[in-house]
Amino acid sequence: MERPAAPAAHEAAEIRLTITSPEQMRELGRRLAKLLSAGDLVMLSGELGAGKTTLTRGLGEGLGVRGAVTSPTFVIARVHPSLGGGPPLVHVDAYRLAGGLDEMEDLDLDVSLPDSVIVVEWGEGKVEELADDRLQVVIHRAVGDTTDEVRHVTVTGLGERWAEAGLETLTG
């Protein structure tokens, strides 16, 4: 008798959400912050203006960090220390970086990762090597001349860390 095939080890956990306002995007960030801890890597993808920084602003609020979370496009990275003993938030915008992890080495993200929550906007192809376990957030919005605030968000947890992390709580 053959055994049933074992499930794939650490299959990706995924949820999909529809967000209809910037405040809902911030609230998603606040809810997501409850699932994060030191050592977590979060990669954000989406068109310009999709809401990546708005989501990160909510993460900062949820983590209780110091300083206004704004886009670090021109400084590449900002560190927001915790106000309450939690992990600091390292917010990286890799939009202007063309290379992979080699070009980002000067940021020392590998040194910061164990003690911080690192959020990287535009990190595809650049930071995946930092952690096998990571959270990928893809935000889709209508493009072109539109005032449509609707965003379709896919949150995918990769690796053992996210297998049982409770991503379904983000839908609440």
Side-chain angles (χ1 to χ4, degrees), residues 44-88:
L44 303 180
S45 305
E47 298 88 0
L48 287 170
K52 296 178 295 296
T53 301
T54 301
L55 176 71
T56 306
R57 192 169 292 124
L59 283 171
E61 292 168 5
L63 291 170
V65 299
R66 185 178 71 215
V69 175
T70 60
S71 179
T73 299
F74 296 103
V75 295
I76 311 297
R78 282 196 175 96
V79 177
H80 298 275
S82 173
L83 293 171

Side-chain angles (χ1 to χ4, degrees), residues 2 6 9-10 24 32 39 49 56 66 70 72-73 78 88 94 108 113 122 125 132 134-135 157 164:
E2 287 186 52
H10 314 301
Q24 282 186 357
L32 180 57
T56 306
R66 185 178 71 215
T70 60
T73 299
R78 282 196 175 96
D108 288 331
L113 184 58
W122 305 99
D132 291 332
R134 62 187 176 275
L135 199 60
E164 302 289 330

